[in-house]
Amino acid sequence: MAEEEDDPGFDEDLDDGGNGVDSGQGKRKRLFSKELRCMMYGFGDDQNPYTESVDILEDLVIEFITEMTHKAMSIGRQGRVQVEDIVFLIRKDPRKFARVKDLLTMNEELKKTLKAFDEANYGS
Amino acid sequence: MADPARVRPEAGRPEPGEGSCSSTSSEPAAKPRSAAAAAAEEEEEEGSSSLHPSPAKKLKMEHDKKKEKRQKVDEDEIQKMQVLVSSFSEEQLNRYEMYRRSAFPKAAIKRLIQSITGSSVSQNVVIAMSGISKVFTGEIVEEALDVCEKWGDKPPLQPKHMREAVRRLRSREQSPNTKHKHILFH
């Protein structure tokens, strides 16, 4: 099972503080604890979710991002992650696809509005 | 299940869920903008009021009509959402606010992606990835709540619910699964 052995090794690379020498996954500093708690409450969990559940979720999210990044690096322009690649990878999942489209559209509109606002201010 | 966050134009600005309650609502900005756009489209239709418009004009008119219809449906949805939110209890309002405002910190996501690729990534990539990750956690939490209810337990969610939720999502292929290699010809 070479793949399973790769995971703990890979997590060690991401370790910032360098304390997790032997076991990788547990000793890494928690990146999203606060935000994940708020998110879990927003999605329907209790106001104080269990720490173990938050930890499991964080590991899942990091695994998800890692996998997406690897896949995106292997398609389109190799070695780089671009938005088009992410959109392509997500195309089968309707919720995520719609969300990405919305976010990018809103970001564009926001940038346009801010740019127009700045130019108006600069002119006067 | 309709994602309420899809409807509002201002929903895309995720802010860190530190509990800060200053609500800078840009909703009033959305309404005058769409009203102005509708007025502009009406003017255009007035100009091409001849009996036999050219095919190009016809296409444009159809496109404008579709856009108007979509905007109207959007506005309907916005109104319905407003009615719904105005009837929330305090606990529901709290939860809704957390649902909208919670987001992953962009810096951490950017650092994570860059540590994997080894090169820098654009801001849009970070935005897209944070958005998808939030949807992903939502799917897991909702599935875990289903499992919890089905097993007769109560929230807060326990690790066994989360693991069962992930197992179900993976079997439905909604969650990435790298443990099995697809070998085509063997």
Side-chain angles (χ1 to χ4, degrees), chain B residues 37-63:
Chain B
E41 283 173 11
E42 278 180 15
E43 284 183 29
E44 276 186 70
E45 291 213 56
E46 293 281 324
S48 60
S49 56
S50 57
L51 276 177
H52 299 288
S54 65
K57 271 194 187 160
K58 246 195 215 168
L59 267 175
K60 186 162 196 299
M61 276 166 63
E62 277 181 32
H63 177 69

Side-chain angles (χ1 to χ4, degrees), chain B residues 100 104 115 119 172:
Chain B
R100 291 287 286 260
F104 289 115
S115 76
S119 61
R172 263 187 268 151

Side-chain angles (χ1 to χ4, degrees), chain B residues 95-115:
Chain B
R95 202 183 280 272
Y96 186 60
E97 180 181 354
M98 278 295 114
Y99 164 71
R100 291 287 286 260
R101 285 171 155 253
S102 64
F104 289 115
K106 293 220 171 25
I109 301 269
K110 187 165 186 176
R111 222 179 327 135
L112 178 60
I113 301 182
Q114 285 184 341
S115 76

Side-chain angles (χ1 to χ4, degrees), chain A residues 3 14 35 38-39 41 43-45 50 53 56-57 60-61 63 67 81 95-96 100 102 106-107 109-110, chain B residues 6 9 12-13 17 33 95 99 102-103 115 117 124 127 132 137 139 142 156-157 159 162 166 170 176 178:
Chain A
E3 268 186 77
L14 289 181
E35 292 87 4
C38 296
M39 219 179 271
Y41 175 52
F43 280 122
D45 197 359
Y50 286 134
S53 309
I56 291 186
L57 248 189
L60 285 167
V61 168
E63 180 189 350
E67 165 133 3
V81 180
R95 263 170 126 175
K96 299 197 184 90
V100 173
D102 277 351
M106 281 188 269
N107 195 36
E109 279 185 25
L110 205 69
Chain B
R6 281 195 60 205
R13 288 300 278 338
R33 195 159 38 88
R95 202 183 280 272
Y99 164 71
S102 64
S115 76
T117 70
N124 275 355
I127 293 179
I132 305 181
T137 44
E139 285 176 350
E142 286 178 3
L157 292 170
M162 316 284 292
V166 174
R170 283 203 178 137
T178 43

Side-chain angles (χ1 to χ4, degrees), chain B residues 143-144 147 151 159-169:
Chain B
E143 188 70 27
V147 169
W151 288 355
K160 58 180 179 179
H161 303 135
M162 316 284 292
R163 280 191 275 265
E164 171 69 13
V166 174
R167 193 195 63 82
R168 288 192 191 178
L169 285 177

Side-chain angles (χ1 to χ4, degrees), chain B residues 84-95:
Chain B
L84 178 64
V85 175
S86 62
S87 64
F88 274 169
S89 73
E90 177 162 349
E91 202 233 323
Q92 286 174 323
L93 267 178
N94 261 345
R95 202 183 280 272

Side-chain angles (χ1 to χ4, degrees), chain A residues 4-124:
Chain A
E4 291 193 51
E5 270 174 47
D6 274 345
D7 280 354
F10 183 69
D11 287 338
E12 276 181 38
D13 287 344
L14 289 181
D15 199 346
D16 291 348
N19 22 338
V21 179
D22 32 9
S23 76
Q25 214 154 10
K27 296 283 177 69
R28 182 180 49 223
K29 189 169 150 205
R30 292 283 142 191
L31 295 172
F32 307 132
S33 184
K34 270 190 281 194
E35 292 87 4
L36 263 182
R37 274 171 208 278
C38 296
M39 219 179 271
M40 285 174 82
Y41 175 52
F43 280 122
D45 197 359
D46 196 66
Q47 206 160 10
N48 294 321
Y50 286 134
T51 308
E52 295 83 6
S53 309
V54 180
D55 282 350
I56 291 186
L57 248 189
E58 167 159 356
D59 291 338
L60 285 167
V61 168
I62 294 188
E63 180 189 350
F64 175 75
I65 295 182
T66 308
E67 165 133 3
M68 291 301 288
T69 311
H70 278 303
K71 281 196 198 157
M73 282 204 291
S74 67
I75 68 174
R77 208 163 149 208
Q78 310 275 348
R80 293 181 74 104
V81 180
Q82 294 173 305
V83 197
E84 297 81 14
D85 302 335
I86 299 185
V87 175
F88 176 75
L89 289 172
I90 267 312
R91 70 198 186 282
K92 295 275 177 69
D93 189 333
R95 263 170 126 175
K96 299 197 184 90
F97 184 71
R99 182 68 182 153
V100 173
K101 285 279 172 186
D102 277 351
L103 280 174
L104 294 174
T105 316
M106 281 188 269
N107 195 36
E108 290 302 309
E109 279 185 25
L110 205 69
K111 280 203 285 197
K112 256 193 285 178
T113 319
L114 284 174
K115 192 169 158 214
F117 179 69
D118 272 343
E119 280 174 10
N121 266 3
Y122 187 67
S124 67

